[in-house]
Amino acid sequence: MDDAWNQSFAVLRQLSAEDFRSGAEISRQLRVSRASVHNLVERARGLGVMIHAVPGRGYRLAEPCSWLDAEALRAGLLPGYRLTLEQVCDSTNSRLLALAARGEAHKSVLAAEWQTGGRGRRGRAWLAAPGAGLTFSLLWRFNRPLTALSGLSLAVGVALAEALEATGALGIGLKWPNDVLAGGAKLAGILIETQGDMLSNATAVIGVGLNVRAAPSLPEAATVALAELIDADIDRNRLLTRVLVSLDRVLEAFDRHGFAPLREAWQARHVWQGKPVRVMGGAGPVEGVALGVDAAGVLRIETIDGVQVIHAGEVSLRPGTFV
Ligand code: BTN
C-alpha cells in the first residue's frame, strides 16, 4: 500500500462523528502539512467516506464509524484463528488465495478496510466504502475433496444469517446459491474460491462482503445495509468476530457431515421457497416453482416437464404466475 493511502486512513482515524477536528490539530498530530490534510480528506471522500468540512471548525465524519482494530478483533477470535488486518488491499480473496498456495494456515483471516479491486461472483466488482461494510476472507482447509464441497456456499449463507439475526436483524433471507438478503435487497455476498484436485483435501477461500452502513457506492435499489435493519450502533469489530464464530461452527459441521444437517436452516430462510422462478443456468433458462434444495444443496424446480435439478446458475423471480 502506498504512503498516501496509509495517511488517508490515519486522518480518518482522527475523525469522529461527534466533534469537529481542526485541520491544524490533525496536521500537528500526524506531522503533515495542512495542505496534505486537505488532500488526504479529499482522497478519503473520493472513496465514498462522507466527511463534513466547515471553515474555522475543521472536519467531522457525517456518520459514526467504528474502524476495524486488529487488537480488538484478535481478542474476539476463537483459538486456532490468525487474523491480518489491512487498511487497503486489492482483494482479500485474491491475496488469501496467493497465500494459501504458499502454505498459509487453516483458519487464517484477512480483513481489509478498503479493497481497490474487490471481486464479486461472475466477474462483477464488489464495492464498499471504507468503514461502511465488512470485507474479509477466511481460509479453510477441509478434510474432504473438492467433489464433496457441494452446498458450501449455502452453508456459509446460513452462518451469516445466524450471525446477523443474533444482532437483532429481522427478516434475513437466503437466495440460492449464495446471497444474503433482507426485504428483497442484497445485504451480503459470498465468493468462494477453491484450490486442490478432485481427490486430495480441498482448500477454500471464503470471501464475504457485508453492507453495514448505506454508502454512496451502494446502488440504492438493490442493496440494503445492516444499520437499516437494527436500531443500535454497530461495532464492526464485534460484528466481524461474531460472524467468524458463526462461520466456525457451521464450517466445522459442514466439514464433518456436509450440507445435509444445515439444509433445514437454509430452507427456513429461502426467499423463493414455493415461488415461481426463472433460473439462468448453463443449459438455458429453467422456469417453474422453487421447491428448495436437496441434501447436497442442489436447487429443485418443479417445471411443466417435472422436477429439474439445478447445480449452478442465477435465480430471478419469474414475472406472472406459474400454473
Ligand atoms: C457477490 O455477491 O458477488 C460476492 C461478493 C463477495 C465480496 C467479497 S468482499 C471480500 C472478498 N474479497 C473479494 O474480492 N471479494 C470477496
Side-chain angles (χ1 to χ4, degrees):
M1 180 176 65
D2 73 40
D3 269 0
W5 284 125
N6 258 327
Q7 287 180 331
S8 277
F9 279 94
V11 168
L12 283 176
R13 284 171 190 273
Q14 296 280 318
L15 303 181
S16 80
E18 285 80 45
D19 303 306
F20 279 92
R21 193 94 203 269
S22 75
E25 246 180 290
I26 300 172
S27 101
R28 256 198 317 276
Q29 188 74 33
L30 299 181
R31 295 168 201 272
V32 295
S33 68
R34 295 275 297 273
S36 298
V37 171
H38 172 82
N39 291 339
L40 294 166
V41 165
E42 285 311 310
R43 209 164 193 219
R45 278 180 161 161
L47 302 182
V49 184
M50 289 184 284
I51 301 169
H52 294 314
V54 175
R57 297 188 73 189
Y59 303 100
R60 181 169 78 73
L61 292 176
E63 288 184 55
C65 178
S66 56
W67 298 107
L68 292 179
D69 177 86
E71 260 179 47
L73 288 168
R74 287 186 190 123
L77 292 179
L78 291 173
Y81 275 75
R82 260 172 49 117
L83 180 132
T84 306
L85 172 63
E86 300 275 3
Q87 298 302 314
V88 181
C89 170
D90 51 350
S91 148
T92 57
N93 258 43
S94 305
R95 184 78 68 84
L96 201 50
L97 274 169
L99 291 171
R102 297 206 298 268
E104 185 77 3
H106 176 50
K107 298 193 179 182
S108 291
V109 179
L110 176 60
E113 275 293 4
W114 186 59
Q115 298 182 114
T116 54
R119 295 185 291 112
R121 294 175 60 239
R122 300 177 174 262
R124 290 186 284 245
W126 183 265
L127 302 173
L134 287 180
T135 48
F136 70 93
S137 303
L138 164 65
L139 170 62
W140 198 276
R141 297 196 182 276
F142 285 93
N143 292 306
R144 42 177 60 226
L146 276 184
T147 47
L149 292 192
S150 172
L152 174 60
S153 67
L154 284 72
V156 172
V158 169
L160 295 183
E162 289 180 349
L164 292 166
E165 285 161 3
T167 68
L170 298 175
I172 304 291
L174 295 171
K175 176 185 153 193
W176 188 91
N178 53 5
D179 282 345
V180 181
L181 309 182
K186 185 153 164 172
L187 178 60
I190 299 160
L191 177 67
I192 298 181
E193 296 177 292
T194 52
Q195 287 176 348
D197 55 41
M198 292 305 165
L199 299 173
S200 61
N201 286 343
T203 292
V205 168
I206 298 164
V208 174
L210 167 63
N211 305 324
V212 176
R213 277 192 297 107
S217 58
L218 298 179
E220 270 171 38
T223 53
V224 65
L226 185 61
E228 297 164 51
L229 306 176
I230 57 176
D231 190 21
D233 288 346
I234 298 168
D235 175 339
R236 290 192 310 137
N237 293 295
R238 252 198 101 213
L239 179 63
L240 177 48
T241 51
R242 196 191 276 261
V243 168
L244 289 170
V245 168
S246 182
L247 277 168
D248 189 77
R249 193 183 53 73
V250 165
L251 291 170
E252 288 288 359
F254 181 94
D255 207 0
R256 263 184 238 117
H257 312 291
F259 177 68
L262 300 161
R263 175 174 172 263
E264 213 172 285
W266 190 88
Q267 204 132 276
R269 298 174 174 90
H270 180 203
V271 287
W272 286 337
Q273 187 74 16
K275 296 198 177 134
V277 293
R278 174 188 286 127
V279 186
M280 307 306 292
V286 174
E287 291 191 345
V289 168
L291 296 178
V293 292
D294 69 10
V298 173
L299 184 65
R300 298 173 68 243
I301 307 283
E302 184 174 33
T303 72
I304 47 174
D305 301 318
V307 174
Q308 289 203 29
V309 292
I310 313 285
H311 293 264
E314 291 279 294
V315 188
S316 62
L317 247 195
R318 204 188 74 171
T321 328
F322 180 70
V323 281

